[in-house]
Amino acid sequence: QVQLVESGGGLVQAGGSLRLSCAASGRTFSDYAMGWFRQAPGKEREFVAAVSLSGASTRYADSVKGRFTISRDNAKNTVYLQMNSLKPDDTAVYFCAAGQPYGSIWSFTPVYWGQGTQVTVSS
């Protein structure tokens, strides 16, 4: 089992920035590709970004490319999502996810989920 706890959500004005953090415990963190997903009211959960086991490779949804940056610190068992130039459309609950052990970010399949953190962007 991998336990994931997100933090860093909040209310921000359009154009602002937030950094989300996700602390992992329970298994060897560096064995797992990590990702962020989000779910807006009335919509399905969607992929946002993923980072490889070492942090060397990343992948983004087109809607956030160039504005969001995913990273990880394996020494701290933590994955981050830096969100810049936020838009009202980015308003959602953001979820951290761990994939299959030794999985690829290009076929990222979430196995473990955090509880989510709310991000609200006002216009």
Side-chain angles (χ1 to χ4, degrees):
Q1 286 281 5
V2 176
Q3 291 80 41
L4 303 170
V5 179
E6 302 97 334
S7 61
L11 173 65
V12 64
Q13 287 190 333
S17 298
L18 280 175
R19 188 174 85 152
L20 305 183
S21 300
C22 173
S25 62
R27 291 285 175 90
T28 303
F29 180 67
S30 57
D31 287 349
Y32 295 84
M34 299 296 296
W36 288 94
F37 289 73
R38 66 186 182 185
Q39 187 166 18
K43 295 187 177 181
E44 293 188 355
R45 194 171 298 189
E46 64 175 4
F47 170 81
V48 175
V51 62
S52 62
L53 276 64
S54 68
S57 299
T58 56
R59 173 187 160 215
Y60 297 93
D62 288 344
S63 58
V64 307
K65 205 171 291 183
R67 299 188 298 121
F68 290 11
T69 302
I70 188 171
S71 62
R72 67 190 294 163
D73 185 335
N74 286 344
K76 295 182 178 179
N77 290 352
T78 302
V79 61
Y80 305 97
L81 186 68
Q82 177 67 44
M83 305 185 294
N84 298 329
S85 302
L86 282 161
K87 306 174 182 179
D89 284 351
D90 295 318
T91 295
V93 177
Y94 283 71
F95 297 90
C96 173
Q100 295 279 0
Y102 308 105
S104 168
I105 61 171
W106 304 107
S107 57
F108 185 85
T109 302
V111 177
Y112 303 102
W113 292 97
Q115 82 288 352
T117 185
Q118 177 70 46
V119 171
T120 303
V121 184
S122 63
S123 56

